[in-house]
Amino acid sequence: MTTVELTRFRVPAERAQELLDARPGMLEAFRADRHGFLGAQLVRVDDEQWLDIVWWNAADDLDASKAKGGNLPAVQAFFAPISELLSSERGTLLDATAQPW
């Protein structure tokens, strides 16, 4: 079953553009290097808090990705502006019938 990773983190407002500029490269690196990566959405909660919602084919794929950490320069570039990890949770996707757009 699809596993959903919910990661909330803080980025200083003056580094937000750095995070956004690094996002496409990080996603490309994940597609190439992270088995089971299905996609992701990035939500800006306020000036400094962000929520990254990432879909994985299975929980084992998420675990393997976490073990790799910032193993590639593009992933490191995305992690660099993050000043604090606020929370990290996972769940199982049960209903994907409604689209927000």
Side-chain angles (χ1 to χ4, degrees):
M1 295 190 84
T2 302
T3 297
V4 181
E5 175 186 17
L6 305 165
T7 305
R8 185 181 292 254
F9 53 88
R10 186 177 315 280
V11 174
E14 65 273 8
R15 295 192 73 185
Q17 192 59 52
E18 182 182 348
L19 180 86
L20 293 171
D21 290 345
R23 182 70 171 187
M26 185 275 294
L27 293 174
E28 184 178 322
F30 265 40
R31 285 185 197 96
D33 184 59
R34 309 289 168 119
H35 178 76
F37 172 73
L38 301 175
Q41 289 182 311
L42 184 63
V43 178
R44 190 174 194 166
V45 178
D46 63 28
D47 283 348
E48 294 194 349
Q49 288 192 43
W50 299 74
L51 176 65
D52 205 358
I53 306 166
V54 184
W55 290 273
W56 298 94
N57 190 50
D60 290 346
D61 298 325
L62 169 56
D63 293 338
S65 176
K66 284 187 172 282
K68 288 185 175 189
N71 66 323
L72 298 171
V75 177
Q76 293 170 12
F78 180 77
F79 289 169
I82 298 172
S83 63
E84 181 182 2
L85 176 65
L86 300 173
S87 66
S88 181
E89 300 178 84
R90 69 172 68 195
T92 303
L93 183 64
L94 298 179
D95 178 14
T97 57
Q99 297 297 322
W101 47 87

